[in-house]
């Protein structure tokens, strides 16, 4: 078992779940950045390691309770909970 995996052994999520949560958070931040409005949602998702638009859409909605498009349009009322609380959903 790697040192990283051992470090996450007592946490509420695995290392890979934490990494995906960080990537989703980064896309959400980019969606809100006025300087990135010219980039498509898919382009932003792909730049953070997502390789399938459908998977990204499902994961984003599951994490935040709204679509990436809603966030981009400023219509999001989704949660911004951190990765430690995600397992309670």
């Amino acid at each position: 078992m790697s040192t990283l995996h051992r470090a996450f052994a007592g946490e509420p999520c695995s290392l890979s779940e934490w990494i995906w949560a960080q990537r989703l958070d980064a896309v959400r931040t980019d969606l809100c950045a006025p300087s990135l409005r010219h980039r498509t949602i898919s382009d932003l998702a792909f730049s953070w390691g997502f390789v399938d638009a459908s998977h990204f859409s499902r994961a984003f909605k599951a994490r935040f309770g709204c679509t990436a498009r809603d966030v981009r349009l400023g219509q999001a009322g989704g949660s911004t909970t951190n990765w430690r609380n995600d397992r309670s959903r």
Side-chain angles (χ1 to χ4, degrees):
M1 180 182 276
S2 76
T3 301
L4 280 174
H5 283 94
R6 275 193 304 275
F8 274 78
E11 297 298 329
C13 68
S14 69
L15 174 60
S16 63
E17 289 169 331
W18 182 82
I19 291 169
W20 282 114
Q22 296 303 299
R23 289 177 177 178
L24 287 165
D25 291 348
V27 174
R28 188 171 203 259
T29 298
D30 285 356
L31 288 170
C32 296
S35 62
L36 298 175
R37 299 274 304 156
H38 67 283
R39 294 180 64 189
T40 67
I41 293 171
S42 293
D43 184 39
L44 294 174
F46 295 156
S47 74
W48 283 102
F50 290 90
V51 295
D52 180 273
S54 295
H55 174 254
F56 165 73
S57 294
R58 287 188 303 273
F60 192 94
K61 188 159 188 171
R63 178 155 175 79
F64 298 113
C66 61
T67 66
R69 185 172 189 270
D70 289 340
V71 169
R72 165 122 321 152
L73 297 175
Q75 301 169 352
S79 169
T80 57
T81 59
N82 68 32
W83 65 273
R84 292 180 191 274
N85 296 328
D86 288 346
R87 284 220 166 183
S88 63
R89 291 186 194 192

